[in-house]
Amino acid sequence: MNKEWMTLDKLPAGRFGEVKRITADGQARRRLLDLGLINETKVESLRKSPAGDPTAYEIRGAVIALRSEEASKIFVKMV
């Protein structure tokens, strides 16, 4: 893995990341791709829920909540 990459769940609130790799398999991978999380897609981390999980992300103009378990399978480069 590239040293500049981090998992999406580590992206600080208010920052943008660019999708570089998805390590999920099967239906989980298909769901993430269907949400628009393909290579070079820009994602903004908006805020965490009061309990800390899930986190809201803006992806292609839509706000999507992802659990840490899902977001940890998405590698991004901070932009």
Side-chain angles (χ1 to χ4, degrees), residues 27-68:
Q27 288 182 338
R29 181 180 181 80
R30 181 81 255 153
R31 178 178 179 263
L32 295 172
L33 293 172
D34 288 346
L35 289 172
L37 288 162
I38 59 173
N39 237 6
E40 300 186 12
T41 298
K42 289 202 173 42
V43 178
E44 180 182 9
S45 178
L46 297 176
R47 61 188 159 275
K48 289 189 180 278
S49 73
D53 197 32
T55 301
Y57 299 96
E58 183 173 344
I59 305 165
R60 298 179 178 260
V63 177
I64 305 292
L66 294 175
R67 293 185 198 102
S68 294

Side-chain angles (χ1 to χ4, degrees), residues 3-44:
K3 291 181 181 181
E4 295 179 355
W5 296 359
M6 68 179 72
T7 56
L8 186 58
D9 62 318
K10 304 286 190 250
L11 187 67
R15 300 298 304 263
F16 289 86
E18 186 175 90
V19 175
K20 294 297 180 184
R21 184 173 184 193
I22 296 177
T23 59
D25 294 321
Q27 288 182 338
R29 181 180 181 80
R30 181 81 255 153
R31 178 178 179 263
L32 295 172
L33 293 172
D34 288 346
L35 289 172
L37 288 162
I38 59 173
N39 237 6
E40 300 186 12
T41 298
K42 289 202 173 42
V43 178
E44 180 182 9

